[in-house]
Amino acid sequence: MLSDLSLEELKNYVNEKGLPTFRGSQIFDAIYNGKAINEITNLPKPLLEEISEEYPKYKIVKRYESKDGTKKYIIEFSDGEVVECVLMSYKYGNTICVSTQVGCRMGCKFCASGLNGLKRNLSSGEILGQVLLVNKDLGGTVKERKITNIVLMGSGEPLDNYDNVIKFLRLVTSENGLNISDRNISLSTCGLVPEIYRLADEGLNITLTISLHAPNDEIRQRTMPIANRYSIKEILDACRNYIDKTKRRVAIEYTLIKGVNDSKVCAEELIRLLKGMLCHVNIIPLNYVKERGLTAATRKEAYQFVGLLEKGGLSATVRRTMGEDIAGACGQLRNSYMRGEA
Ligand code: SAH
């Protein structure tokens, strides 16, 4: 698909067809302005016909808007698969939360994204497509973009789709594209250790976010199957390497689940684990996922937990929950729209 290609690659693509280089720039502009092929007015018809197979066909098929202004978009790809992405508006700009896979194979017990396993990976151009479509929906263009920040925290495990995710990051940060600063991008992972080491060497200074959710391996194994593969120690060693290489502070996500990981003892263990590491802990009260049968800690309990962490010397805050009324909050994204469940 043509949105998988950089500007250079698109220029080569048209050159190979015997066409002048500027045609590549025109196609690039159309893609980056989120245009469907029938909205392109500056290309000759035979050329449009020639590229129509490979021109992106993703589209927004539904929008939901939350009371708090958060928007959830359902995006459909050419094979009929759908993903959800979420737009959050803040004073400083607009953050889009993109999906990296249709479904997920990590199987975390609290999350909706893996309920039906992994359907398929998204290509780099399909991840980018979510940003381009939403940017256009907000009235943005490639020159005047409305999206300022990106979080790879939708459905899927980004590091389980490593090459496409890296290519996406290079496309979305490229100067002639949306030119989004790597400092404004966060990638969240449940902790695929070898890929965290690889990521540290990509020269992309994005914020690494770890979905930790437990202070020890035993508790982590109860809710996250990946904990049987990598220990917390291995994950944190990989984080320290990431910090060394990028000088970036790592974010730790910790979803508070009643009776599972919310005790004072858990807080104390977490302090011992993270003390001295350049990190910030986000405490998220569990968001509701009907199939999962887990109970959330209250916001008050979340603030108390944060209080304990702060007293122990950690930097921590309670993450604001956005878009829960449209099932657009952390862990609520799924690919069930076509089955009418969303
Ligand atoms: N697979 C990646 C990216 C998903 S990001 C990862 O695991 O990090 C989505 C975030 O929401 C992750 O931190 C995930 O652990 C968290 N999450 C999942 N289900 C949740 C729920 N029900 N309530 C709150 N957070 C949840």
Side-chain angles (χ1 to χ4, degrees):
M1 190 178 48
L2 295 181
S3 58
D4 293 319
L5 305 185
S6 66
L7 178 58
E8 267 329 289
E9 290 166 337
L10 261 175
K11 287 176 177 169
N12 291 337
Y13 167 87
V14 293
N15 285 161
E16 274 162 27
K17 291 186 179 297
L19 294 161
T21 306
F22 77 92
R23 292 294 185 205
S25 307
Q26 286 176 313
I27 297 172
F28 185 84
D29 268 354
I31 291 172
Y32 277 73
N33 285 319
K35 287 191 179 166
I37 195 161
N38 59 10
E39 295 171 317
I40 303 177
T41 50
N42 59 351
L43 289 177
K45 224 168 165 203
L47 174 58
L48 286 174
E49 270 160 28
E50 205 177 330
I51 65 171
S52 75
E53 272 289 293
E54 289 175 88
Y55 193 85
K57 284 169 201 67
Y58 42 61
K59 56 178 188 263
I60 295 172
V61 289
K62 203 164 164 76
R63 294 173 185 75
Y64 300 85
E65 188 159 351
S66 161
K67 296 195 289 281
D68 63 29
T70 300
K71 294 188 179 115
K72 182 168 86 171
Y73 293 87
I74 313 285
I75 300 204
E76 187 182 313
F77 301 106
S78 54
D79 63 353
E81 292 292 357
V82 295
V83 295
E84 304 186 330
C85 63
V86 174
L87 179 84
M88 293 154 286
S89 300
Y90 300 97
K91 272 191 244 77
Y92 57 79
N94 289 315
T95 298
I96 185 172
C97 172
V98 295
S99 291
T100 53
Q101 297 178 314
V102 183
C104 182
R105 60 184 182 132
M106 297 298 129
C108 300
K109 296 266 191 307
F110 38 76
C111 182
S113 300
L115 280 167
N116 299 306
L118 175 69
K119 279 273 189 62
R120 70 169 174 87
N121 282 331
L122 295 185
S123 73
S124 56
E126 288 174 328
I127 306 171
L128 179 67
Q130 298 166 57
V131 184
L132 300 174
L133 289 174
V134 172
N135 185 51
K136 182 187 183 213
D137 195 63
L138 298 176
T141 63
V142 58
K143 293 264 148 43
E144 285 185 43
R145 61 179 160 77
K146 300 281 185 187
I147 307 274
T148 52
N149 298 63
I150 300 177
V151 297
L152 285 79
M153 299 189 185
S155 72
E157 165 50 50
L159 298 185
D160 188 38
N161 183 14
Y162 189 87
D163 293 338
N164 291 332
V165 163
I166 297 297
K167 178 86 196 274
F168 158 71
L169 291 169
R170 300 210 189 282
L171 291 173
V172 83
T173 53
S174 84
E175 275 174 33
N176 37 45
L178 285 183
N179 196 13
I180 292 183
S181 160
D182 49 4
R183 302 189 156 260
N184 293 346
I185 301 178
S186 294
L187 180 150
S188 182
T189 176
C190 63
L192 302 191
V193 169
E195 285 76 15
I196 297 174
Y197 281 100
R198 269 177 88 186
L199 186 65
D201 292 325
E202 296 286 354
L204 286 160
N205 292 325
I206 58 172
T207 300
L208 175 68
T209 300
I210 303 292
S211 297
L212 192 65
H213 305 318
N216 61 52
D217 291 323
E218 190 266 315
I219 295 182
R220 198 162 193 258
Q221 283 159 4
R222 281 192 233 159
T223 54
M224 301 179 72
I226 192 69
N228 297 305
R229 205 148 106 215
Y230 302 111
S231 68
I232 291 179
K233 178 174 185 312
E234 289 171 303
I235 295 174
L236 296 183
D237 283 346
C239 287
R240 289 192 188 91
N241 174 68
Y242 190 85
I243 295 165
D244 274 353
K245 297 249 166 87
T246 63
K247 313 292 172 226
R248 303 283 292 159
R249 183 170 84 161
V250 165
I252 304 288
E253 308 282 87
Y254 193 102
T255 298
L256 269 193
I257 311 171
K258 216 173 196 127
V260 176
N261 63 1
D262 63 338
S263 68
K264 190 162 177 242
V265 176
C266 285
E268 287 161 358
E269 236 181 314
L270 194 59
I271 292 165
R272 281 198 296 279
L273 207 57
L274 299 178
K275 206 148 187 194
M277 193 170 112
L278 183 64
C279 69
H280 178 82
V281 184
N282 284 313
I283 298 296
I284 319 164
L286 182 81
N287 292 312
Y288 182 63
V289 176
K290 67 173 186 290
E291 295 89 340
R292 293 308 198 184
L294 293 165
T295 311
T298 62
R299 285 197 81 75
K300 188 165 164 231
E301 287 161 338
Y303 283 109
Q304 282 164 354
F305 198 85
V306 161
L308 292 173
L309 299 183
E310 283 180 328
K311 231 164 70 204
L314 299 187
S315 151
T317 39
V318 179
R319 159 86 68 82
R320 212 169 124 200
T321 288
M322 296 177 80
E324 203 176 5
D325 55 329
I326 53 169
C330 295
Q332 295 185 317
L333 300 193
R334 50 178 81 210
N335 68 317
S336 56
Y337 161 71
M338 295 322 242
R339 288 187 296 280
E341 294 162 21

